Amino acid sequence: MEKRKYGLDTIAIHGGNKGRNPENALNPPIFQTSTFVFDTIEQVEKAMSFESDDYVYTRGNNPTLKAFEHRMAALEAGNASVAFASGMAAISSVLFSFLKPGDNLVANHCLYGSTYTVATGLMRRYNVNCKIVDMTDVNSLEEAIDKNTRVIYFETPSNPSLEIIDIKKVTEIGRAKGVKIVVDNTFATPYFQRPLTLGADVVVHSATKYISGHGDVVGGVAVSKDEDYIHSLKFDYMCEFGGVMSPFNAWLLLRGLKTLGVRMRQHEKNALEIARFLEKHPGVKRVYYPGLESFAGHDTAKSQMDGFGAMLSFEVDGGLERAKKVVNNVKLIKLAVSLGDCETLIELPAAMTHLGYPKEKLAEFGFTESMIRISVGLENVEDIMEDLDSAIRCE
Ligand SMILES: Cc1ncc(COP(=O)(O)O)c(C=O)c1O
């Protein structure tokens, strides 16, 4: 583990701060402006050629976005980061930044639905081939890499089957072949896992989730140790494609981050209790949660994470029909896509977040049509359990 001066709770509150805020305000103001004013064309020229740090236009840079970017870089043990309008804006821009026609991308078989669609559909239109492999088996990863492979992409834990990919092993394989490693760290957050310290080149997030924590922002971010790469990602891709975050959203994310540690600890505590409760439930066939000793990825999770997160999936007896009844029967828990909010959310990935996956191939990708996914929230755990219990019993 890397040596840090401060702990992660402290970094989530103060990380990346550069001196005092205007008017000595404790919290930074929201620079709700599209453009910035100059006195002379000479000043403009310096800003345009990056000789000065002056701001020009919010699609390229803005002080509120910069404060959020510095904080995320500090949390992920990176040197720089770029904020995006959404997680998908971050993911697609990072892929476009590394790949050109004729290149190959190797991705894990279990991915968030839109990421799968971009990797296997959209990229193909630009003659980028995507090989889908099961990265829990590093041999199949090695076989998939060829002379045109430029990027290895995965989530760990993965959405929705919580597969754990060994970040160190994958980065060693990729590094040896000159391939860039991109890790989606949305489920773990930097509070529980920092892939850059394990060798990854770029970390991406849907900041919409735990980084916000309150279900009121859509945002994304990419972080790296390589400052030149981030500069190019920001000005050649984010700024040109135009997927910029709004200053208000950056401010809300800075606000959300202050409680990342307390939220994640409580989310995880609730999730572990619920996973254990589901594991013993007579109506439940299988539980997917990295914190369970019985889970396939448990040991790898223990070795590379500081906590197991609060996303879990499960299968009930009775297949899809029963699974639909469960999600229809919850009362306190909300039937919704997204995750990482204070509210516990439930969904059927194959019918919702992962609709883009071909139904006939779901098993190959490590999940099923009847899998139920839960984002465990911050309510009293007994209340969540009681709601789940009566929904599973279809009372
Ligand atoms: C793991 C993961 N990555 C990326 C995304 C996309 O993020 P956004 O919805 O902010 O574009 C999601 C959204 O659910 C996700 O779950």
Side-chain angles (χ1 to χ4, degrees), residues 71-131:
R71 183 135 327 147
M72 282 306 301
L75 278 166
E76 283 287 4
N79 290 322
S81 93
V82 198
F84 287 87
S86 68
M88 285 318 301
I91 291 164
S92 52
S93 297
V94 167
L95 292 178
F96 274 105
S97 76
F98 285 131
L99 294 159
K100 59 179 190 323
D103 287 346
N104 280 344
L105 155 70
V106 179
N108 188 40
H109 61 173
C110 180
L111 295 169
Y112 168 59
S114 294
T115 307
Y116 172 80
T117 306
V118 168
T120 60
L122 189 66
M123 298 309 288
R124 201 157 282 164
R125 286 176 51 190
Y126 299 93
N127 198 23
V128 170
N129 189 37
C130 178
K131 287 192 197 168

Side-chain angles (χ1 to χ4, degrees), residues 86-88 91 112 155 159 184 186-187 206 208-209 218-219 339:
S86 68
M88 285 318 301
I91 291 164
Y112 168 59
E155 301 163 1
N159 185 358
D184 183 331
T186 300
F187 272 26
S206 169
T208 314
K209 311 300 183 326
V218 173
L339 57 111

Side-chain angles (χ1 to χ4, degrees), residues 180-195:
K180 297 289 182 194
I181 316 296
V182 182
V183 181
D184 183 331
N185 201 28
T186 300
F187 272 26
T189 83
Y191 194 74
F192 285 144
Q193 175 175 270
R194 289 159 303 283

Side-chain angles (χ1 to χ4, degrees), residues 250-286:
W251 187 86
L252 281 174
L253 292 170
L254 282 165
R255 187 181 197 267
L257 275 175
K258 292 188 191 196
T259 55
L260 182 70
V262 282
R263 283 188 286 110
M264 291 317 292
R265 289 193 293 270
Q266 190 60 38
H267 273 300
E268 188 202 30
K269 193 163 174 273
N270 283 0
L272 190 58
E273 272 195 57
I274 289 179
R276 293 205 167 119
F277 156 77
L278 288 174
E279 211 180 20
K280 286 197 214 109
H281 199 287
V284 173
K285 245 177 31 188
R286 187 170 169 189

